[in-house]
Amino acid sequence: MSVDRRDFIKILGAGAAGLVVGAVLGWATKPSEVQEITRTVTVTTPGVVERRLPKATVKIGVLGIRSGLWSTYGEFIEQGARLATEEINARGGILGSRVELVFRDEQADVVKQARELVDVENVDFIVGIDSSGNALRVGGIVDELGKIVIVTHAATHRLTEELVFKEGKKLIFRSSVPVYQDGILAAYIAKDLPVRKWAGINGDYEFGRVSWELFTKTLKTLRPDVEFVTAHWPKFGTEDFTPFISALLASDAEALHTSIWAIELVTLQRQLTAMGGYKKFKAVISTLGYSMDVVYALGAGYPTAELGTWVSARYMWLYPPTKINREFVDRFKARWGRLPAYSAETTYSAIYMLKAALENAVSLDPDAVVKALEGLVILTPAGVRWIRPEDHQAVYETPYGRITHKGAEVPLLEDLKAVPAMLYYRHPPFT
Amino acid sequence: MDLTSFLVQALIGLYKGSLYWILALGLVLIFGVVRVINFAHAAFYVTGSYLMYTFYTYTSNFIVSLIIAMIITGALGAIVEITIIRRVYKLETIYQLLATFGVALIANEAQKLIWGKGVVYISIPETLSRGVNLGGITINYYMALIVVTGLLLFIATIVFMNYTITGLRTRAVWRDPVMSEALGINTRLIYTLVFFTGTALAGLGGALTVPLISVGPGLADYLIVTAFIIVVIAGLGSITGAYIVAILVGVFSSILVLIVPELDIVILYIIAALILLFRPHGLFGER
């Protein structure tokens, strides 16, 4: 136990140090235009050569799931994109050019939608994309599209590791943390929990499989004494988890890992509670358990395990406790009536990433903007984001915390554990 | 793997099978009598869930909400039959598929407009949320209620079809609509009545499941697949067959989750494909 505690303190210390160093580095190295996103202004000084983009309107195509069971996620993307655009336009646009958004449903043949955004709508950039499969499809034709695509939700590591780093598709970027958070970071949380036998329930598709694989591999390295006793793989669109839950409960696992998300996670948590899962499992790690649709849906009924229901998301409104984040949350709530979901923030920040890059490049030429985006350090609501030049992946921190009920509008988190992003991100050359 | 785990898994399968049955029953009735493959069936099921959510939220009365949700869903079904489906009876099957698919799309969008895109559900009524503990797994009374309801619905349907005059007329229309009409049976009324009953049953199923699963726009897209698999394996139009197959599929797939987690649902598709290949009219269907 003492080793675990030391490790725990080390991680916390490293986390805190990482945050401080990250923040200081971020402040020191970021371009002056993005020092404080919320105060970014475009000033035209008489006598100075005007820095202007070649078009009066910068068009951004926004892809998200806008139909079916996961359409809430397209709405989150839209909310983030709209808020950022309204703010930017209210302050004079990007170097004097107005920003305009064009929305498309990625469920309606994403390749066709992406092509139409470029060929018919003449967009300059594309942001969004919820599904990993769709991200890879658009990624596959990105050179034909000839436009920068910033993915703001899809989590497959293959997008940045394979398409960008190995295949050199330089037009792809991602503002959201990939599956490292669901697998590797979750293992850093699990290693400090006094349990040895783990079970998993993850989606029977790439994201679910990779989450579990990264989780088990990392945790076994960090804690060689752990055992993985059973793993279950419900298909995408499972409306009832009862047979999986009874099979999980029949095992001798002490804790559960899941990357099930959205409406499926709401059902899973409710059925797990109803069938006695929270009496059996001492700890539950739910990698997307603090996605706001789930948090609002479960509300005061969000179950808590003896050693904690540990949840995370690709951004959580209560972290980091910075001024820029607080102000973002307030503005978001005022605009949309709810706390921001993670993909709202990742899309909001993607548009500010573009703004910062355009203000540096003073050009809409994709190559010039790619150069400006590579290595960009930008202060966003989620914290300091560094766009890693090799794989175009935004590197930033998102913690895990234990669900707690304190009578607030939504369940809150306690014992927030932040691990330095450099520890749980995979690094080039990704071997 | 001990015997208790196996038994629990079979019981869970019985509950799952009963859910499948309630979903498939209306589909079988409508196909049998009206001869329309109703692609909108699951959309009516989800409508029942949403209506249950709304009425239960306002009244907190489970039984009353259940009945209202069932009747309104049935009434919506009857309206759809009178205004849309009736016009495509004599056309090729493809028009019927397109018409019902169109209804499903409209229903999905309407649900989004009325209830939003978020997740909705209600809690299991207090008395039914308790249950029996078997090897650390709680099987609550609500699950038992689903099994009993499924069985009662099966018995009621068989009794209605075989021992009532309306049932007799319905069977007559099922067998030979032209001859039935010649004998003075109002087939148009029977069609509307069956569509009302079929969609009301879908509404009942949806209303019953909202305390157990979570409902969102588009849920029907996933449910309809399972319903069709059951009906394909059983044979379109076979009520007893659908009940037996639904229960077998529920129990079988549930046990598979325990012993071969990698297979579970895949096996269903394989069985459906084999049945289509070697017995296209289904296990219990008539040639």
Side-chain angles (χ1 to χ4, degrees):
Chain A
M1 275 306 291
S2 62
V3 174
D4 286 344
R5 193 171 296 119
R6 273 204 299 274
D7 279 354
F8 171 71
I9 293 165
K10 260 195 318 205
I11 289 295
L12 273 190
L19 270 179
V20 172
V21 171
V24 170
L25 270 178
W27 278 103
T29 54
K30 65 187 171 291
S32 57
E33 289 89 339
V34 291
Q35 274 190 358
E36 181 79 59
I37 283 177
T38 54
R39 290 183 192 154
T40 302
V41 286
T42 306
V43 181
T44 311
T45 318
V48 176
V49 177
E50 272 197 58
R51 298 166 75 236
R52 287 210 167 264
L53 293 172
K55 283 163 71 178
T57 304
V58 174
K59 271 181 127 179
I60 302 176
V62 186
L63 286 167
I65 296 178
R66 299 173 71 82
S67 56
L69 210 44
W70 282 266
S71 53
T72 343
Y73 281 76
E75 196 168 271
F76 296 153
I77 283 181
E78 177 177 343
Q79 289 170 340
R82 280 201 193 281
L83 184 63
T85 306
E86 286 165 7
E87 287 175 11
I88 289 169
N89 286 339
R91 294 191 179 96
I94 302 175
L95 298 176
S97 301
R98 279 186 60 76
V99 180
E100 196 181 301
L101 301 172
V102 185
F103 295 93
R104 287 292 174 103
D105 185 358
E106 69 175 76
Q107 293 295 77
D109 186 350
V110 74
V111 167
K112 181 173 171 274
Q113 298 302 333
R115 284 191 198 280
E116 279 187 14
L117 279 174
V118 173
D119 298 336
V120 181
E121 301 286 354
N122 295 314
V123 302
D124 302 292
F125 305 97
I126 292 176
V127 300
I129 309 184
D130 285 302
S131 140
S132 285
N134 284 343
L136 292 174
R137 266 173 236 137
V138 174
I141 58 157
V142 75
D143 290 334
E144 287 172 51
L145 296 173
K147 302 291 176 191
I148 288 173
V149 175
I150 304 185
V151 172
T152 66
H153 182 196
T156 174
H157 61 309
R158 289 171 54 205
L159 182 79
T160 40
E161 292 187 8
E162 290 178 16
L163 294 193
V164 182
F165 181 74
K166 290 181 182 150
E167 295 176 26
K169 294 189 186 298
K170 294 289 184 186
L171 293 169
I172 303 169
F173 288 82
R174 175 159 47 200
S175 62
S176 51
V177 57
V179 68
Y180 310 148
Q181 176 218 329
D182 310 271
I184 304 171
L185 179 56
Y188 275 93
I189 304 303
K191 84 174 181 58
D192 294 323
L193 295 170
V195 287
R196 220 170 52 78
K197 292 181 174 177
W198 284 86
I201 179 164
N202 293 279
D204 193 11
Y205 43 92
E206 194 193 73
F207 166 64
R209 296 265 171 187
V210 175
S211 297
W212 178 245
E213 188 197 327
L214 291 177
F215 176 73
T216 50
K217 231 162 96 180
T218 314
L219 186 54
K220 196 73 190 166
T221 317
L222 297 169
R223 276 271 305 270
D225 63 318
V226 295
E227 268 181 64
F228 303 103
V229 293
T230 187
H232 286 275
W233 309 101
K235 70 178 170 59
F236 196 63
T238 298
E239 78 289 348
D240 187 341
F241 290 88
T242 48
F244 299 99
I245 294 169
S246 51
L248 284 168
L249 296 179
S251 73
D252 59 347
E254 302 164 281
L256 182 71
H257 168 275
T258 183
S259 61
I260 299 285
W261 56 292
I263 183 171
E264 291 183 4
L265 179 57
V266 177
T267 302
L268 176 68
Q269 289 286 18
R270 290 176 52 220
Q271 295 187 332
L272 201 56
T273 311
M275 293 175 73
Y278 275 87
K279 286 184 189 135
K280 178 184 174 72
F281 295 126
K282 291 181 189 157
V284 173
I285 290 185
S286 175
T287 72
L288 291 171
Y290 211 72
S291 180
M292 293 317 291
D293 52 331
V294 176
V295 173
Y296 274 110
L298 290 172
Y302 209 130
T304 51
E306 183 191 332
L307 295 172
T309 300
W310 291 87
V311 296
S312 184
R314 315 213 184 283
Y315 155 82
M316 298 190 283
W317 64 274
L318 36 60
Y319 184 88
T322 55
K323 182 167 172 274
I324 183 173
N325 189 32
R326 271 197 305 273
E327 288 179 356
F328 165 71
V329 171
D330 290 345
R331 284 197 308 276
F332 190 95
K333 222 180 148 198
R335 177 67 177 86
W336 302 111
R338 278 201 160 194
L339 293 161
Y342 64 81
S343 43
E345 192 280 340
T346 54
T347 310
Y348 174 91
S349 292
I351 289 180
Y352 272 102
M353 278 162 54
L354 280 174
K355 179 177 185 284
L358 287 172
E359 286 172 347
N360 275 349
V362 199
S363 163
L364 285 168
D365 172 51
D367 292 338
V369 183
V370 165
K371 270 209 179 79
L373 278 169
E374 284 179 341
L376 176 77
V377 176
I378 181 167
L379 186 63
T380 59
V384 176
R385 272 181 165 90
W386 168 51
I387 313 302
R388 192 159 56 183
E390 294 94 330
D391 63 343
H392 293 182
Q393 173 61 56
V395 181
Y396 66 102
E397 277 178 20
T398 181
Y400 272 74
R402 285 159 59 115
I403 288 286
T404 181
H405 296 285
K406 291 188 172 161
E409 178 190 355
V410 292
L412 300 175
L413 297 181
E414 59 187 359
D415 297 342
L416 276 180
K417 281 192 183 186
V419 177
M422 297 310 273
L423 263 186
Y424 65 87
Y425 269 61
R426 279 159 53 106
H427 302 284
F430 306 112
T431 44
Chain B
M1 195 175 307
D2 56 28
L3 195 64
T4 315
S5 311
F6 205 76
L7 177 71
V8 168
Q9 211 64 20
L11 286 175
I12 293 284
L14 197 60
Y15 140 78
K16 282 278 293 183
S18 301
L19 277 185
Y20 290 153
W21 153 247
I22 298 173
L23 178 60
L25 172 60
L27 200 61
V28 174
L29 267 183
I30 290 171
F31 179 79
V33 180
V34 187
R35 289 187 170 73
V36 166
I37 298 173
N38 184 16
F39 256 113
H41 192 70
F44 284 109
Y45 185 90
V46 176
T47 303
S49 299
Y50 274 123
L51 287 169
M52 179 73 185
Y53 162 76
T54 300
F55 287 110
Y56 188 69
T57 306
Y58 285 110
T59 66
S60 299
N61 188 319
F62 191 81
I63 300 291
V64 169
S65 307
L66 198 69
I67 293 168
I68 296 176
M70 184 176 160
I71 291 173
I72 294 181
T73 313
L76 288 171
I79 291 169
V80 166
E81 195 273 340
I82 291 165
T83 54
I84 299 167
I85 312 292
R86 190 174 281 181
R87 295 166 201 278
V88 294
Y89 282 148
K90 291 190 176 136
L91 301 178
E92 288 171 44
T93 316
I94 185 73
Y95 292 98
Q96 299 175 355
L97 290 178
L98 283 173
T100 55
F101 188 58
V103 171
L105 289 176
I106 293 167
N108 275 352
E109 290 308 306
Q111 285 160 5
K112 227 186 278 180
L113 283 175
I114 299 169
W115 287 283
K117 293 178 180 173
V119 182
V120 305
Y121 61 85
I122 61 172
S123 302
I124 298 174
E126 184 64 29
T127 43
L128 297 171
S129 63
R130 287 187 288 274
V132 187
N133 190 312
L134 292 168
I137 303 165
T138 307
I139 309 269
N140 59 48
Y141 298 133
Y142 195 83
M143 288 180 177
L145 175 79
I146 298 280
V147 177
V148 172
T149 308
L151 183 64
L152 287 178
L153 276 178
F154 173 64
I155 296 169
T157 312
I158 296 296
V159 168
F160 171 81
M161 293 298 265
N162 292 299
Y163 301 102
T164 66
I165 191 72
T166 316
L168 182 69
R169 286 185 178 135
T170 308
R171 275 189 297 138
V173 176
W174 186 322
R175 286 280 165 202
D176 192 336
V178 177
M179 181 57 79
S180 305
E181 205 158 334
L183 291 171
I185 295 175
N186 186 346
T187 52
R188 193 173 261 209
L189 182 67
I190 295 283
Y191 284 167
T192 307
L193 194 68
V194 167
F195 223 89
F196 171 84
T197 312
T199 47
L201 285 169
L204 172 71
L208 274 173
T209 48
V210 72
L212 291 163
I213 67 169
S214 310
V215 180
L219 178 67
D221 304 347
Y222 295 88
L223 290 171
I224 194 74
V225 179
T226 316
F228 271 116
I229 289 178
I230 305 287
V231 175
V232 163
I233 297 177
L236 277 162
S238 167
I239 291 171
T240 310
Y243 185 62
I244 294 171
V245 170
I247 297 295
L248 283 179
V249 162
V251 173
F252 192 51
S253 58
S254 178
I255 289 173
L256 269 180
V257 168
L258 185 70
I259 55 179
V260 203
E262 290 292 330
L263 273 181
D264 65 75
I265 197 84
V266 178
I267 210 84
L268 259 189
Y269 293 103
I270 295 171
I271 294 171
L274 289 175
I275 296 281
L276 278 175
L277 269 177
F278 298 107
R279 208 178 149 85
H281 50 284
L283 286 180
F284 298 87
E286 293 171 14
R287 280 174 198 279

